[in-house]
Amino acid sequence: MVMNVLITIPVYVPNLMDSASKLLDKVTMNRIIHQAIPELDNDIKKVIVYYIDITDEVEIMNFIKEDDSTTVEIELRDLKSILDDVVIGDYAEFHAEEIAGRYAVAIDKFMSDRVLSKIAEFNQKAFLNSSAKKPYKQIEISEEGLELIEFLSLDCTATGGEWHSDSEIQIDKNGYVIVDGNKTKEFWDGYIRSTKKPLRLKIRNICGDETVWEV
């Protein structure tokens, strides 16, 4: 009689919405070894740890080998190879305000995995091509990530179906805002305003991807 044995292999996947957790370093690996693995069932023989970025794969592998606190086999895998064909939607935190009969939506935080990946690729190429005469200067993104946005629009007419751009803001390459088609010499303050109550918010990132949220 042939018996099929089901083998369970736990998998660690970083939080894709948290940029800090995407980097696998010795601190994270130490936490996995000493906190996560001890909580697993005793019959677990292997775990797979996925990462988006890693400080140094050889260093992390040596760190795992030198730690004798567990007999569980730990395999590292690059999550980007799986995500190449997957589109991860942009993430936004925002809140609406009403003051004296006028409305405003404030963007508190914005993250775009696609844009961050493009920036990471650029930074890596810039580093490899750097020299004493041409020093490396990486592109840095703020914690709020608002510089990843190039266009915003509010639909104050419908909650679904065809989009009605009742109010819109475009940020030009110098950081100035174009409000409803009118150029200004003002920098964007993180708000988009309207005379009517906003129902939907559309944000376009600097790679051209657009996402819509209910307000």
Side-chain angles (χ1 to χ4, degrees):
M1 178 183 294
V2 178
M3 297 181 64
N4 294 323
V5 179
L6 181 63
I7 300 176
T8 300
I9 301 179
V11 174
Y12 168 85
V13 180
N15 180 3
L16 299 180
M17 294 303 180
D18 181 6
S19 58
S21 73
K22 294 180 182 180
L23 179 66
L24 180 62
D25 55 12
K26 289 197 291 186
V27 173
T28 303
M29 197 68 249
N30 185 70
R31 186 167 62 249
I32 292 173
I33 293 174
H34 294 279
Q35 295 181 19
I37 291 180
E39 295 180 355
L40 300 175
D41 294 336
N42 292 330
D43 58 348
I44 296 297
K45 304 300 182 183
K46 178 180 179 178
V47 299
I48 297 174
V49 176
Y50 281 100
Y51 63 86
I52 297 292
D53 293 305
I54 189 169
T55 51
D56 185 313
E57 187 172 355
V58 175
E59 180 185 51
I60 298 299
M61 288 301 301
N62 289 335
F63 179 78
I64 294 172
K65 291 177 182 178
E66 292 170 2
D67 191 301
D68 58 359
S69 62
T70 180
T71 58
V72 175
E73 178 188 354
I74 301 173
E75 179 182 344
L76 303 181
R77 291 186 185 179
D78 190 344
L79 188 58
K80 293 192 293 296
S81 61
I82 298 177
L83 296 178
D84 283 343
D85 298 323
V86 179
V87 177
I88 302 174
D90 291 346
Y91 170 79
E93 293 180 7
F94 56 88
H95 68 275
E97 301 175 0
E98 180 184 1
I99 302 175
R102 291 185 60 85
Y103 299 88
V105 175
I107 312 301
D108 302 309
K109 187 172 184 178
F110 181 80
M111 296 298 294
S112 172
D113 190 78
R114 180 166 181 250
V115 176
L116 292 177
S117 296
K118 293 293 184 182
I119 292 175
E121 290 176 10
F122 176 87
N123 284 338
Q124 184 177 21
K125 290 180 180 178
F127 174 74
L128 294 174
N129 294 326
S130 63
S131 63
K133 294 182 178 180
K134 187 180 178 181
Y136 167 60
K137 185 177 182 181
Q138 71 173 2
I139 298 176
E140 297 182 347
I141 303 301
S142 67
E143 185 176 346
E144 293 77 17
L146 302 191
E147 59 269 48
L148 304 180
I149 298 173
E150 72 170 12
F151 175 83
L152 305 96
S153 176
L154 290 177
D155 187 339
C156 306
T157 305
T159 57
E162 181 182 355
W163 183 266
H164 303 81
S165 190
D166 296 303
S167 176
E168 63 181 43
I169 285 178
Q170 183 174 350
I171 299 102
D172 69 16
K173 62 181 181 180
N174 297 315
Y176 296 121
V177 295
I178 303 170
V179 181
D180 296 329
N182 300 311
K183 294 182 179 181
T184 74
K185 285 298 182 180
E186 297 178 356
F187 292 107
W188 184 43
D189 62 359
Y191 282 82
I192 178 169
R193 297 169 175 82
S194 63
T195 56
K196 295 187 292 184
K197 183 178 180 180
L199 302 176
R200 292 187 291 174
L201 167 68
K202 178 189 291 185
I203 298 179
R204 181 195 305 153
N205 65 41
I206 57 177
C207 284
D209 305 316
E210 294 184 345
T211 307
V212 175
W213 291 269
E214 292 184 2
V215 178

